[in-house]
Amino acid sequence: MTRWILSVLCLSCLGMRLYAQQSVSVKSPGGLIAVTVQNTPTGEVVYQVRYKNKPVLAPSRLGFTLSKPRQSLTRFGIKAVDSSRADGVWKPVWGEVAQIRNQYNHLVLSLVDKAGSAIQVNVHFRVFDDGIGFRYEFPLQAALKHFVVADELTQFRLTADHQTFWMPGDYDSNEYLYNRTRLSQVDALTAAAREKDTALKSVIGPNAVQTPLLFKTADGLYISLYEAALVNYPVMHLQLDKKMLTLTAQLTPDAVGNKAYLQTPAVTPWRTLIVSDKATDLLASKLILNLNEPSTIADPSWIKPQKFVGMWWEMHVGKATWEKAGGKHGANTQNVKKYIDFAAKYGFDGVLVEGWNEGWEDWFGNWKEEVFDFVTPYSDYNLDSLTAYAQRNGVRLIMHHETSGSVTNYERRMDAAFQFMVDKGINTVKTGYVGRIIPRGEHHDSQWMVNHYVRVAQKAAQYKIMVDSHESAHPTGLHRTYPNWMASEAARGSEFNNAPTLGIPPSHTTILPFTRLLGGPMDFTPGLFRFALNQFEPSRTTRVRSTLAKQLALYVTVYSPFQMAADLPENYEKHLDAFQFIRDVPVDWDDTKILAAEPGEYIIIARKTKGSDSWYVGAITNEVGRDFDISLDFLEAGKSYEAVLYQDGVGADWEKNPESYTIEKKTVTTQTKLPLRLAKGGGCAIQLIRR
Ligand code: NOJ
Ligand code: CA
């Protein structure tokens, strides 16, 4: 009782209010967002969210069902309420900005099960000016030790039938296109069926969607639902009740249907809601990062953002193969040497080599556990001579560990594989999880796999290795905690340009920053300069749905500290003037300004180079051509800058004339209003160097 009263006093000093019917409100530091939590007469605990006094979430349920012990946790008494505030600044090891402010008001409710089990669950709310995060905590307690989560019952009740950007809920793939419909029009099965190129599908059902999920409301709010700090817990998908406009957590099951195996003390990931009336502010939000734990790497001096090349695209477009058999092996010593020469000549840090190791003859679709050992190069690949050659040329090879879904095999071999890398002087690995997870029959999004991805980041850090994971679960800001986890794919990346059906429509890259990229950097692999992908196999009809100038702009709009120049040297050598932008553009930044943005339509971002006065701008559009006048008021006053503009040329059009571009130099200042013309499916990339 004493504690309860103390809490009330403390709450009132933070601008929070506790009502007789057990309702607590907490506001964000600047008062923009308010969360109210109520304990209803039947014992339910519901929360609701308002932004600038407009309802964002209607009262939405919290709770769980456990299968061991068999227990429903939906009726609670509130034992105590505590609150605090936090305000601080931290510096990421690398990122879009040099420092991040983390300011929020914190509310903790200690709930006790009313149904007799006496199980205690604490719910933590962090309320920021750009959104909220909340998580459940199961403290150490006599009433609950080891337990199994059957279902998380968290709900998100929307207040109207908003325009929604969504992907089908799927336990194994996040490589879908986003659909844009009213929430009530979600039709996940039809959307998934359209996507014939997504290799492995475990679609949940007609009304299930993935997070991040984006809404635009009729009164102009942009709302993102997602999760942060996904550790020791499965990915949360959402099940939609169309009548009620309510989304309920649908956790990814393990091979026998359980959701999570936990042991007190335990916490869930944060459930996040970012909200703003400005699309640009949503893109600037650092809420997901702020909800993650600080870096676990005491000395990060070995972690370096990097740009790289590789013969990766040769394999995708049929010039070469991963496997040695067949006579078109890409990762042969001569070919890799060519890429090292190219990287050295044009100033790239790394050369990614896929298909270097034995096993690719039989890696896909056979569900074999022992495919790769990660330490045996093909006989035509002289790794020792190549690492020495790379070193002499100031370049490093990048390792590739395709697990082909055989994750127990990878875990057994990981130490040897990382030690092998250290011995060869290789400090970056691209991992991959193509296919079914064997032999356990897990889903890519299950708790066991989530733990695996984290284990890889942790173990790699012990060997001072940087990681880029493909086919891993969606990122949730863990690169704050593990800054050697540089990037992941975890969405439809550039490789899908070569997919026969839907490919990458121009709008896709204008949606990614509002969705997938909120969780962390993406290895999207931009920079394709050849658009018809029939260079080596004339019958191929696949094509890159972009202009060349847009391919340059993606280096700014798709943030990553790990960026590939994805095309072939011979294609770059035809356009060395445009290639200059890819050579120059940095991969680490001191500042970022979102100049204009609308999901599914266009994005314009300016970024300031780490430790330098130069700025880079990327502007991209969807299928619609557009004109903008951008203000350069982010430049330093009183200084002049040389602007190099890489723009869509006369008649440029992603479909009819993607290769038309112009390069123009101008002198600009902070006062300049720069007119930009973006072609259909086009873009513009700008370098601004202070004189
Ligand atoms: C899928 C990855 O996304 C791609 O980048 C890679 O080349 C292939 N798997 C082979 O590992
Ligand atoms: Ca992939």
Side-chain angles (χ1 to χ4, degrees):
M1 186 62 193
T2 323
R3 188 144 177 235
W4 180 246
I5 292 165
L6 279 177
S7 304
V8 177
L9 289 175
C10 186
L11 288 173
S12 60
C13 64
L14 269 181
M16 303 175 194
R17 299 173 67 195
L18 183 72
Y19 303 98
Q21 66 271 39
Q22 300 215 322
S23 162
V24 191
S25 291
V26 56
K27 281 194 169 168
S28 62
L32 294 181
I33 296 182
V35 175
T36 301
V37 188
Q38 281 168 288
N39 195 195
T40 69
T42 56
E44 277 197 333
V45 175
V46 295
Y47 71 102
Q48 55 187 301
V49 182
R50 297 176 81 79
Y51 170 81
K52 292 188 179 169
N53 230 7
K54 290 179 186 167
V56 175
L57 290 183
S60 304
R61 178 188 66 194
L62 300 172
F64 282 90
T65 50
L66 309 184
S67 60
K68 238 183 187 175
R70 190 169 296 282
Q71 185 67 46
S72 152
L73 296 174
T74 51
R75 308 259 184 261
F76 302 98
I78 299 181
K79 196 171 115 192
V81 180
D82 266 320
S83 62
S84 58
R85 52 178 127 212
D87 190 7
V89 167
W90 60 279
K91 292 187 172 155
V93 174
W94 40 261
E96 296 176 90
V97 291
Q99 54 179 35
I100 294 173
R101 184 166 183 191
N102 186 12
Q103 189 193 19
Y104 59 86
N105 288 337
H106 188 180
L107 174 71
V108 192
L109 292 111
S110 297
L111 311 178
V112 180
D113 173 42
K114 261 190 170 169
S117 75
I119 291 173
Q120 186 184 330
V121 187
N122 300 335
V123 188
H124 295 249
F125 285 89
R126 289 191 185 172
V127 186
F128 303 77
D129 278 321
D130 55 351
I132 71 158
F134 65 91
R135 71 161 21 153
Y136 302 89
E137 177 199 2
F138 295 92
L140 193 62
Q141 55 192 291
L144 193 66
K145 291 199 168 107
H146 301 271
F147 62 108
V148 178
V149 174
D151 274 309
E152 181 181 323
L153 304 175
T154 307
Q155 287 187 333
F156 306 89
R157 285 185 56 212
L158 282 308
T159 54
D161 195 8
H162 305 315
Q163 189 186 141
T164 307
F165 294 77
W166 58 273
M167 278 199 285
D170 188 316
Y171 297 137
D172 279 296
S173 179
N174 38 38
E175 299 191 3
Y176 288 93
L177 288 176
Y178 290 90
N179 298 272
R180 182 179 180 164
T181 67
R182 295 261 161 217
L183 182 58
S184 62
Q185 301 306 306
V186 162
D187 179 356
L189 294 184
T190 307
R194 266 200 306 269
E195 307 226 4
K196 298 191 178 57
D197 307 312
T198 308
L200 178 62
K201 287 185 190 157
S202 300
V203 187
I204 300 168
N207 297 329
V209 291
Q210 309 210 10
T211 69
L213 193 59
L214 178 73
F215 305 105
K216 184 176 179 188
T217 72
D219 53 357
L221 295 190
Y222 299 85
I223 303 168
S224 157
L225 286 186
Y226 198 21
E227 57 182 326
L230 172 61
V231 178
N232 195 26
Y233 206 76
V235 167
M236 177 181 71
H237 294 267
L238 296 170
Q239 202 44 266
L240 168 67
D241 177 334
K242 289 184 176 171
K243 260 205 199 123
M244 302 302 290
L245 299 174
T246 296
L247 293 150
T248 304
Q250 167 102 27
L251 301 180
T252 305
D254 76 348
V256 294
N258 290 324
K259 306 292 169 44
Y261 301 82
L262 300 175
Q263 185 178 334
T264 56
V267 290
T268 68
W270 295 95
R271 277 63 189 93
T272 65
L273 179 141
I274 305 174
V275 56
S276 179
D277 49 14
K278 291 200 191 79
T280 48
D281 284 353
L282 194 103
L283 292 191
S285 172
K286 295 287 170 279
L287 182 140
I288 303 264
L289 272 175
N290 275 330
L291 287 168
N292 274 271
E293 296 301 315
S295 173
T296 51
I297 298 176
D299 170 17
S301 56
W302 51 275
I303 301 173
K304 300 260 187 271
Q306 46 189 305
K307 268 186 294 185
F308 63 103
V309 295
M311 87 291 294
W312 173 81
W313 199 228
E314 287 192 12
M315 270 107 64
H316 284 269
V317 295
K319 180 180 183 187
T321 57
W322 282 270
E323 70 274 14
K324 182 162 171 280
K328 286 209 304 183
H329 186 215
N332 66 73
T333 307
Q334 250 345 85
N335 200 27
V336 173
K337 209 158 171 256
K338 192 181 98 184
Y339 277 87
I340 294 172
D341 291 340
F342 184 79
K345 183 169 176 190
Y346 294 110
F348 287 83
D349 308 292
V351 173
L352 168 69
V353 187
E354 295 199 7
W356 67 276
N357 54 331
E358 284 188 3
W360 287 90
E361 280 70 18
D362 191 19
W363 75 288
F364 182 69
N366 293 331
W367 323 131
K368 275 176 52 178
E369 192 177 356
E370 300 284 334
V371 179
F372 297 112
D373 68 7
F374 312 100
V375 293
T376 308
Y378 276 123
S379 59
D380 61 345
Y381 180 64
N382 190 332
L383 180 56
D384 286 328
S385 78
L386 285 167
T387 47
Y389 186 72
Q391 200 183 8
R392 281 202 300 281
N393 284 281
V395 173
R396 283 178 105 132
L397 296 182
I398 295 174
M399 179 51 84
H400 186 222
H401 289 166
E402 173 56 66
T403 66
S404 67
S406 181
V407 178
T408 41
N409 178 48
Y410 189 44
E411 293 225 338
R412 278 195 297 272
R413 297 176 185 275
M414 211 150 56
D415 272 300
F418 288 161
Q419 187 57 50
F420 181 79
M421 287 176 59
V422 171
D423 295 344
K424 306 292 174 193
I426 301 177
N427 67 350
T428 306
V429 64
K430 169 176 169 179
T431 58
Y433 299 92
V434 170
R436 233 167 261 298
I437 305 300
I438 52 171
R440 294 177 53 109
E442 294 289 328
H443 291 296
H444 285 70
D445 284 354
S446 69
Q447 180 190 24
W448 190 77
M449 282 303 288
V450 163
N451 285 341
H452 168 77
Y453 308 127
V454 173
R455 266 198 303 278
V456 172
Q458 288 168 333
K459 191 161 275 297
Q462 286 165 16
Y463 290 85
K464 299 200 167 152
I465 287 171
M466 292 171 269
V467 179
D468 163 32
S469 55
H470 277 229
E471 293 85 45
S472 46
H474 59 204
T476 57
L478 286 169
H479 54 294
R480 177 176 179 191
T481 315
Y482 305 107
N484 65 318
W485 193 350
M486 309 297 281
S488 58
E489 182 191 38
R492 174 165 296 210
S494 196
E495 65 181 352
F496 272 84
N497 280 301
N498 191 38
T501 43
L502 300 174
I504 300 204
S507 58
H508 182 61
T509 42
T510 66
I511 302 172
L512 280 177
F514 285 98
T515 49
R516 151 70 180 77
L517 298 186
L518 292 173
M522 177 171 180
D523 181 22
F524 182 79
T525 61
L528 297 177
F529 277 17
R530 159 118 193 169
F531 298 87
L533 299 176
N534 59 358
Q535 206 169 350
F536 305 103
E537 292 176 357
S539 60
R540 274 192 200 219
T541 54
T542 51
R543 60 175 297 114
V544 181
R545 294 161 169 88
S546 159
T547 66
L548 193 147
K550 179 172 177 177
Q551 288 293 308
L552 302 180
L554 292 173
Y555 286 90
V556 182
T557 60
V558 179
Y559 167 67
S560 180
F562 190 68
Q563 289 276 28
M564 185 174 202
D567 214 333
L568 313 179
E570 54 265 43
N571 293 340
Y572 286 135
E573 269 154 359
K574 285 192 193 126
H575 301 285
L576 282 177
D577 54 355
F579 186 53
Q580 187 62 39
F581 183 84
I582 303 180
R583 296 178 63 194
D584 291 338
V585 68
V587 277
D588 201 9
W589 310 96
D590 269 341
D591 203 3
T592 289
K593 307 269 180 213
I594 315 295
L595 305 185
E598 180 62 24
E601 304 288 326
Y602 56 84
I603 288 176
I604 308 180
I605 298 180
R607 301 194 197 269
K608 183 166 180 285
T609 308
K610 184 116 213 150
S612 153
D613 299 317
S614 60
W615 285 80
Y616 288 77
V617 177
I620 59 167
T621 181
N622 62 0
E623 289 75 0
V624 180
R626 298 170 202 267
D627 291 293
F628 291 93
D629 273 318
I630 60 163
S631 161
L632 300 184
D633 58 3
F634 51 85
L635 296 178
E636 199 180 328
K639 305 284 180 197
S640 75
Y641 291 74
E642 181 182 76
V644 187
L645 290 100
Y646 299 78
Q647 285 191 276
D648 291 322
V650 179
D653 178 318
W654 72 269
E655 228 174 339
K656 300 193 192 95
N657 191 8
E659 281 183 37
S660 169
Y661 62 90
T662 61
I663 302 174
E664 192 191 345
K665 288 191 176 162
K666 279 185 185 169
T667 300
V668 297
T669 70
T670 187
Q671 318 257 297
T672 306
K673 296 267 176 291
L674 209 53
L676 300 185
R677 164 107 269 263
L678 310 186
K680 292 178 182 171
C684 171
I686 309 172
Q687 179 189 46
L688 295 150
I689 304 288
R690 206 178 90 177
R691 286 179 191 278

